[in-house]
Amino acid sequence: MSDLKERTKEIQAGPKGRHRTVQVTVGNVKVGGGAPIVVQSMTNTDTADIEGTVKQVAALARAGSEMVRITVDRDEAAAAVPHIREKLDKLGIDVPLIGDFHYIGHKLLADHPACAAALSKYRINPGNVGFKNKRDTQFTDIVEMALKHGKTIRIGANWGSLDQELLTKLMEENAKSPDPIDARAVTREAMVQSALLSAKRAEEIGLPKNRMILSAKVSNVQDLIAVYRELAARSDYAIHLGLTEAGMGSKGIVASSAALGILLQDGIGDTIRVSLTPEPGGDRTVEVKVGQEILQTMGFRTFVPLVAACPGCGRTTSTVFQELARDIQDFIRDEMPSWKTRYPGVEQLNVAVMGCIVNGPGESKHADIGISLPGTGETPAAPVFVDGQKFRTLRGPTIATDFKALVIDYIEQRYGGTGAKAPAVTAAE
């Protein structure tokens, strides 16, 4: 029994303690240093299209993206940034904007000081910030611009655009070693060194640690885990997590969840992005929802009420429970932007929509409010449970509508400032 007690303590301890990092402020958002893990995203509009970019940034922010990155790749895009910031402010959307710079970031920031001032963070890639003798000069220019405007920099190494000079140097050293490692391991080391050496250089120029975030993105799950574990072991910079080029649909969601889940469980990661390839014309906010769901499922943060629903089986040939679960989940997400201010704490709510008598009553009792719909061949009645007690039995063609109304009543009474735990449970009907 003593061994069981010790193992139980370990399980109850949950995830490892967070990797200790220096806290960074990006606009109005705290990153690292024990702050809640931040969800961010990136637009895929042409930044020069001011109206289109404002619309997408607003949608991402309303979906829960706490920072939004935009591409700044040419003069027209840089010139548009202050106008985008101004329009977002007029809409009451104060989400920090991150400028994504490659190749000519130093020039764009110098030529467009209003852009440099409007952004909250500059993202640069040490693999393409400059080449050969221009590398240090152009890197220095960007760092000095961040110092001038009081901005944060993310130094983001990327597997697809790795510093080739550094990689070649490490490969040559490895080839001469009496005990060489495989080429993939050398490439991972180059990723880590690229980020750390650039951060050290930024500090030498004058940028403090509390103005830097590091990332080292890879598209392979195992490589990503290895790279970030090494990066965390060798530094205390705030860390941005993301599986680059994760892919489309379930492939991208599964790959990102697997990689980020393991690293988050290790205590690594201060801000995350799930880089999903959207369907043509698809909803960009999906990547925000997936990022939130990863953090909420793992118990790190709560964003929206959870809706538990059974997967269905031969007992649940009716689609009523599936439709109701979908409707409740969609309804909750649509209402959350206004609920956050009207119903403080509503994100903690747990709702259960179950399809038959096998697990239905039990799961419904564990939820704050739950319903067990009739399965195939069962009596056409749906017991509703509130705070673990049977509250009411719904019957007839309006079961779904009636349950939705009960959920709304529960939210109103529990989170609406009345102090009730509600709906009040009396004798079950």
Side-chain angles (χ1 to χ4, degrees):
M1 287 298 291
S2 59
D3 289 344
L4 178 59
K5 285 182 179 178
E6 289 303 313
R7 290 199 298 274
T8 301
K9 287 179 182 178
E10 290 179 10
I11 292 169
Q12 290 175 339
K16 293 179 181 178
R18 291 275 299 278
H19 169 57
R20 294 177 66 87
T21 58
V22 175
Q23 189 166 95
V24 176
T25 301
V26 181
N28 57 358
V29 177
K30 302 293 184 184
V31 179
I37 300 165
V38 174
V39 175
Q40 63 177 279
S41 58
M42 184 177 184
T43 60
N44 60 357
T45 57
D46 178 357
T47 305
D49 174 7
I50 295 171
E51 295 300 329
T53 302
V54 167
K55 182 179 178 181
Q56 191 172 87
V57 171
L60 290 166
R62 288 176 181 133
S65 183
E66 294 159 300
M67 297 189 285
V68 177
R69 183 157 47 113
I70 58 177
T71 298
V72 187
D73 58 345
R74 63 194 196 281
D75 287 308
E76 292 82 359
V81 170
H83 300 292
I84 292 168
R85 178 72 273 167
E86 182 182 5
K87 287 180 177 291
L88 288 169
D89 290 341
K90 286 181 179 178
L91 291 172
I93 297 170
D94 60 355
V95 63
L97 293 178
I98 303 164
D100 195 52
F101 294 98
H102 297 279
Y103 306 108
I104 58 170
H106 63 292
K107 184 176 186 302
L108 292 174
L109 287 167
D111 292 348
H112 299 273
C115 167
L119 294 168
S120 296
K121 183 172 74 173
Y122 311 151
R123 187 271 182 174
I124 58 174
N125 183 338
N128 60 35
V129 72
F131 301 98
K132 297 188 181 298
N133 60 332
K134 293 182 179 180
R135 182 192 308 278
D136 189 61
T137 301
Q138 294 176 184
F139 180 81
T140 300
D141 289 345
I142 294 174
V143 173
E144 289 180 343
M145 196 65 66
L147 286 167
K148 177 180 177 181
H149 291 279
K151 306 300 180 179
T152 294
I153 285 180
R154 169 157 76 91
I155 296 173
N158 193 290
W159 192 266
S161 51
L162 186 53
D163 182 339
Q164 291 302 302
E165 289 182 40
L166 176 61
L167 179 60
T168 299
K169 173 178 173 287
L170 293 179
M171 286 290 187
E172 290 175 349
E173 290 176 356
N174 184 59
K176 297 174 183 176
S177 170
D179 186 22
I181 58 177
D182 67 78
R184 203 169 190 90
V186 176
T187 306
R188 291 197 296 263
E189 174 62 17
M191 287 281 292
V192 175
Q193 285 199 27
S194 179
L196 292 178
L197 290 171
S198 296
K200 181 181 178 182
R201 177 61 185 135
E203 284 194 71
E204 290 171 353
I205 297 166
L207 193 69
K209 276 190 176 182
N210 65 357
R211 297 264 291 282
M212 271 187 276
I213 297 174
L214 302 190
S215 66
K217 292 189 175 182
V218 183
S219 58
N220 177 278
V221 170
Q222 294 296 343
D223 286 324
L224 188 88
I225 293 167
V227 165
Y228 271 104
R229 281 176 170 167
E230 193 64 24
L231 185 63
R234 289 155 64 174
S235 75
D236 60 355
Y237 295 99
I239 289 179
H240 168 76
L241 288 186
L243 184 76
T244 191
E245 288 91 40
M248 183 179 286
S250 60
K251 186 269 179 185
I253 292 172
V254 170
S256 293
S257 299
L260 271 58
I262 289 169
L263 289 166
L264 291 167
Q265 189 74 7
D266 282 350
I268 299 168
D270 300 301
T271 175
I272 67 170
R273 183 201 170 194
V274 177
S275 302
L276 297 180
T277 304
E279 296 287 343
D283 185 357
R284 190 69 167 178
T285 64
V286 171
E287 67 175 45
V288 179
K289 296 171 185 175
V290 173
Q292 289 181 329
E293 287 168 5
I294 290 171
L295 294 178
Q296 184 154 342
T297 300
M298 296 190 69
F300 292 108
R301 290 187 66 182
T302 53
F303 296 96
V304 296
L306 290 174
V307 179
C310 68
C313 65
R315 290 175 174 269
T316 57
T317 53
S318 167
T319 61
V320 173
F321 85 95
Q322 298 161 327
E323 293 163 359
L324 181 57
R326 180 197 60 203
D327 290 349
I328 292 291
Q329 191 159 280
D330 290 347
F331 172 71
I332 286 171
R333 274 208 172 269
D334 290 343
E335 294 297 323
M336 274 306 292
S338 64
W339 282 1
K340 283 179 182 178
T341 53
R342 289 167 56 201
Y343 305 121
V346 70
E347 65 274 8
Q348 305 283 348
L349 177 71
N350 285 303
V351 181
V353 180
M354 307 303 293
C356 78
I357 201 170
V358 174
N359 293 318
E363 288 288 348
S364 296
K365 287 177 182 178
H366 287 302
D368 295 312
I369 180 168
I371 187 170
S372 179
L373 292 159
T376 305
E378 293 177 11
T379 302
V384 174
F385 296 83
V386 172
D387 297 326
Q389 302 294 319
K390 188 175 178 182
F391 171 65
R392 183 174 295 169
T393 298
L394 302 178
R395 295 180 175 85
T398 61
I399 285 177
T401 303
D402 293 344
F403 180 67
K404 187 175 178 179
L406 287 175
V407 172
I408 295 170
D409 286 346
Y410 186 94
I411 292 169
E412 286 276 1
Q413 295 182 50
R414 180 172 179 179
Y415 301 101
T418 64
K421 178 72 174 169
V425 178
T426 56
E429 298 177 9

